[in-house]
Amino acid sequence: MALSMFSILPVPGHIWEENALNLVLPAFPLVGVIIGLLWYGAALLGRAVELPAMLAAALLTVLPWLLSGFLHLDGYLDTSDALFSRRSFEEKARIIKDPHLGAFAGVMLMILAMLQFASLYVIIDRSKELLSLSFLVIYSRWGGALALLHLPSLPHSSMGKMLQQDTHPRHTWFLGGLIGLTLVVSYQMLSGLALLLATAVGGTFALALSYAYRGMGGGVSGDLIGFALTLSELGGLLVLALS
């Protein structure tokens, strides 16, 4: 259910159970595991066939957006339009639901694509540790799952309210265990770089979500999570490129 909701990856024998909706958020980081491995595999393949760094960076820029069905990118764009409009909370709520692409979203998309492409180009050109890519998308989805579990939903957030139904403290404990396990595994594979990336992604996520949370009047939604998640992954890529 989490894969079908948060990615375009096929799910053979998929069954949708309404009474299992409260398990989707705890499984959200597991979707990141699969997307992260595919992103890492594509980067390894590009290096193995000696794909030109500029072309490889362009393809790797688009790939995680594509694998997630552009869901989080759409949230990033909608939230950008709403936040930077400087309108009232009611008007921002209308803008974030507007399916049209506004000027602010267009500008923010160009900034995001440019910085993500440049970061990936440096990572490839300087032979940085590609395995880091597989952990970035897991780290970002930790924040998304925890925020949706514990923060109030905006009145217009149908997804947030749906996923928050019948959640229990054990879901938070499960996520905490998953976070601990991922940190241990990433530290074993990446050493100190793992903690640096986790801090960069987590810090960027917290700052971006805090800004969006206040800007929308106090509350979260799928769009706001997409905004923070997208920026947190960019923050991790920038740190990796500069490290």
Side-chain angles (χ1 to χ4, degrees):
M1 289 172 65
L3 274 172
S4 66
M5 183 176 291
F6 298 119
S7 78
I8 62 166
L9 299 173
V11 184
H14 170 64
I15 299 174
W16 186 271
E17 295 285 354
E18 291 293 329
N19 60 1
L21 272 173
N22 62 350
L23 302 177
V24 169
L25 283 180
F28 189 25
L30 301 178
V31 178
V33 172
I34 298 172
I35 291 177
L37 288 174
L38 291 173
W39 201 17
Y40 171 54
L44 282 180
L45 180 61
R47 181 172 288 178
V49 300
E50 298 183 352
L51 200 65
M54 189 169 291
L55 179 57
L59 293 174
L60 291 176
T61 294
V62 176
L63 184 60
W65 301 343
L66 175 64
L67 291 175
S68 63
F70 299 98
L71 177 68
H72 308 305
L73 182 64
D74 178 69
Y76 167 80
L77 298 176
D78 289 342
T79 304
S80 296
D81 259 341
L83 290 177
F84 298 121
S85 69
R86 310 297 185 191
R87 304 289 180 86
S88 66
F89 294 142
E90 293 77 13
E91 186 64 12
K92 288 177 181 176
R94 185 196 66 78
I95 292 172
I96 208 170
K97 287 295 183 182
D98 192 329
H100 299 95
L101 185 73
F104 293 113
V107 171
M108 290 298 286
L109 176 59
M110 287 190 293
I111 293 172
L112 173 68
M114 179 177 62
L115 291 177
Q116 190 151 312
F117 168 79
S119 298
L120 284 163
Y121 178 83
V122 171
I123 291 167
I124 295 167
D125 186 59
R126 297 186 180 177
S127 300
K128 300 279 188 175
E129 179 53 74
L130 295 178
L131 183 59
S132 303
L133 300 178
S134 64
F135 288 103
L136 287 178
V137 288
I138 305 173
Y139 297 156
S140 65
R141 282 157 179 78
W142 291 345
L146 288 172
L148 282 171
L149 274 174
H150 294 286
L151 295 176
S153 292
L154 289 170
H156 63 267
S157 175
S158 56
M159 177 179 287
K161 292 176 181 177
M162 176 181 69
L163 295 179
Q164 286 176 338
Q165 292 179 4
D166 300 321
T167 54
H168 303 281
R170 65 176 179 269
H171 297 146
T172 301
W173 283 107
F174 173 81
L175 280 171
L178 187 62
I179 290 171
L181 177 63
T182 310
L183 283 173
V184 170
V185 172
S186 61
Y187 184 80
Q188 291 295 320
M189 294 182 170
L190 303 175
S191 191
L193 181 60
L195 299 179
L196 177 64
L197 288 176
T199 301
V201 173
T204 307
F205 186 97
L207 288 173
L209 186 61
S210 176
Y211 177 72
Y213 185 91
R214 295 194 306 270
M216 294 301 296
V220 296
S221 67
D223 285 328
L224 268 64
I225 295 300
F227 175 80
L229 186 151
T230 300
L231 286 175
S232 69
E233 291 176 359
L234 175 61
L237 287 173
L238 288 170
V239 167
L240 181 59
L242 294 170
S243 63

